[in-house]
Each structure stands twice: as structure tokens, then as C-alpha cells.
Amino acid sequence: MGNDPQSIRRRVEALEMILERSMVIPGTNYRIGLDTIIGLVPVLGDIITAAMGSYIVWEARNLGIPKWKLWHMMGRIGFDTAVGAVPLLGDAFDVLYRSNTKNLKTIKKHLDRHHPETRVIDH
């Protein structure tokens, strides 16, 4: 629960997994997460998942990621929220567009460059 880069990396990776890849669609090998499930609730679900995704951006800010990258990350969340709010189309979009995964990738690139000691071997 610390504020060191390693602790932040673990928290962000865990939240991304919960939001984007925590469950498997039965009969397929495709993974979904709470972002897709909660997003089925019109408007409120999208607001909740946007808030959860914003936490990832807040942690990125704590790591010292440049402001332009933070704005880009928030743009992804805003785009995901806006399209996700459209009935039916938004639900299908949530299955395919993973803003939190994209934001995690941005954070990992920053950490690998500026805090290489946090690097772990991905499974």
C-alpha cells in the first residue's frame, strides 16, 4: 500500500485486471471485466467505471508521468465513457475497447524507462 513505484505498479495492474480481464465469457476464451459488466447499467455504470479508470490516471500522476500523457489517458477514459453510454452499441464497444489496458501500457512504458527495478516478467 506504499507510494513507491513498485506498489503503484501492483495496484494499477490489479485494478486493470479486475476492470478488463477478470472473467471469461462462457463458451469462449475471451476475457471481460467489471468495466463491461457494470457498463450494462445505463449511464450510472459508465460513470462508475470512468471513476475507477480515473484512479489509474491518478496513480500515473503520482508516478510523475508528463501532463500530456495524463491528458491522453483521460481522453481514452472519456471516449470509452461517451461511447459506452450509447445503448447497445456502447455495450458491444465496452467488450472491445479497453481504455484501462491501454492506460496500463502507458504506465508500464514509463516505469520500465524511469524505474526499471519495478519491471516484472509478464506471464
Side-chain angles (χ1 to χ4, degrees):
M1 293 305 293
N3 288 330
D4 58 290
Q6 184 69 39
S7 296
I8 292 172
R9 183 181 190 130
R10 275 191 240 121
R11 281 195 301 270
V12 170
E13 286 174 342
L15 183 57
E16 183 273 338
M17 199 278 286
I18 290 167
L19 288 172
E20 304 290 9
R21 303 176 285 118
S22 58
M23 300 166 245
V24 177
I25 296 174
T28 71
N29 198 21
Y30 195 78
R31 300 187 75 78
I32 61 170
L34 284 181
D35 187 23
T36 302
I37 302 300
I38 296 173
L40 293 172
V41 177
V43 184
L44 181 62
D46 297 304
I47 292 170
I48 291 169
T49 58
M52 293 172 80
S54 295
Y55 174 77
I56 293 174
V57 179
W58 183 76
E59 287 286 23
R61 181 191 142 298
N62 291 339
L63 289 169
I65 289 181
K67 284 185 181 183
W68 71 270
K69 286 186 181 179
L70 295 174
W71 281 106
H72 190 174
M73 292 170 73
M74 285 304 294
R76 287 181 186 134
I77 293 170
F79 179 65
D80 189 2
T81 303
V83 177
V86 176
L88 298 177
L89 172 68
D91 298 326
F93 178 76
D94 272 341
V95 172
L96 300 173
Y97 185 77
R98 298 178 180 218
S99 62
N100 299 302
T101 301
K102 294 173 190 300
N103 287 343
L104 174 61
K105 188 175 180 180
T106 299
I107 291 171
K108 282 182 172 182
K109 281 183 181 180
H110 175 81
L111 285 171
D112 290 349
R113 180 176 219 171
H114 299 285
H115 303 280
E117 70 280 2
T118 67
R119 191 175 302 160
V120 294
I121 299 173
D122 291 328
H123 302 258

